[in-house]
Amino acid sequence: SAATTASATVAVTASYSGLQAPDETMAINLSPVSDFLICLGSKPYNPLDFNTTFDPLLVRWSDQENPYEWVPEITNQSGEQRLSNGSFIVTSTSTRQEILVFTDTAVYSMQYVGPPFVWSFNLMDQDVSIASQNAVVAVNNAVYWMGEDKFFMYDGRVQTLPCSLRQHVFSNLNRSQISQVISGINEPYSEVWWFYPGTDSQVNSLYVAFNYQDGTWHYGSLNRTAYVQQTLRTYPMLAKGVQTSYLSSAINSTDTTLTLLNAASYSNTGTVVIGNEEIAYTGVSGNSLTGCIRGVNNTVAASHDIYSVVAMKAPNQVMFHELGWDNVETGVAEPITAFIETSDFDIGDGDRFSFVSRIIPDVKFLGSSNNSPSVTLTLYPHNYPGAPYGTGDADPVTATVLLPVERYTEQVYTRIRGRQLALRVT
């Protein structure tokens, strides 16, 4: 339309296009097949009110292939739908034929059906939790995610994912920081990884991984706070969280212990930076960094005031994984100490002892560049479920034994026994 004034004719638009685009949302999703921009949590559309109240359970989408048009009209496919189960929408993930939408208590399937309804919403399950926005991945025609107290999967129906490490993971989870949980896919090895904060950490410090081909789990310690899949790169890319704290008391240039306000997630050894000085330390005791070497890397030891910033020095905060055999996050390539350990095994129900006198190893060193590669087999016996490994009674042969295995080792001899044994390969 046009408005005429005394001096000129001015064009005036009467369209709502662009004016009703959501300016607040919990998360967004771009539908990969039907090409809609979807807001998870939004302000509802009201042609008479451009500033409606935010609804954390409202799903709102743009017109198809047009992220600028959010006004529902008969000539477009934009619209909205409020979910009924839960208090707020946490996240979503796309599969081949649908989008899964997670509230804090339920899982919905969102499928494109075309005009006039555009999207259909079906409640797949309720009383289901999810740890964080980044705790879910879709791979191998299934969806896997970490909940608040268990793991789940979806392959057409929601089900609990059996986890042999469930008690270990959730008893060591810092629930006050659960929103930091991230997940990712290590596709060449058929693995889904979750990184989560331990009970003594304010950032992600532990991980658990699930092999969806074998149905096996493994776990460990690793500080990673972001995960980019290798679908865009040859290797997965992960970021390391670097904590910053503050001196709880002033120090002079010769002090070898630094007491911080919070050192919970500092690594056991490393280098910190205070002002222009770099300080190497060799241990962490409570909130104190111990064994400090002042003025390293050609910096000058100096006095520092209380509440001075103490930052971890981490030259490589974003790293490729599955590339090479060394750990380079400190800037210096270091070998990674890795092992595989079995659970306890026995040959009877408590009335028979296992006696090991010889081991015939079947170990390959394919791909090793070492001229003399080797592994170490460690046997851990114990005689009672409550006894620590390597003890149990006064029998002198009941002790931990280390057995090196070289490239051409045919057999190794040992002498060890116990009601139960565990085997570690390092």
Side-chain angles (χ1 to χ4, degrees), residues 226-268:
Y227 198 119
V228 178
Q229 318 292 358
Q230 66 264 40
T231 51
L232 302 178
R233 297 170 176 83
T234 305
Y235 302 99
M237 180 181 287
L238 282 81
K240 177 181 179 180
V242 181
Q243 183 182 4
T244 296
S245 188
Y246 306 88
L247 288 176
S248 64
S249 59
I251 60 172
N252 59 41
S253 60
T254 60
D255 286 337
T256 57
T257 297
L258 309 181
T259 303
L260 313 182
L261 294 180
N262 182 12
S265 63
Y266 280 71
S267 56
N268 291 330

Side-chain angles (χ1 to χ4, degrees), residues 102-120:
F102 297 83
T103 72
D104 56 328
T105 62
V107 181
Y108 285 84
S109 171
M110 180 177 175
Q111 292 183 301
Y112 179 67
V113 295
F117 300 107
V118 187
W119 291 95
S120 70

Side-chain angles (χ1 to χ4, degrees), residues 224 319-330 332-337 369:
R224 296 293 183 266
M319 292 151 283
F320 285 115
H321 278 236
E322 309 300 341
L323 173 61
W325 294 271
D326 294 320
N327 178 16
V328 296
E329 66 183 11
T330 62
V332 179
E334 299 174 341
I336 298 175
T337 300
S369 59

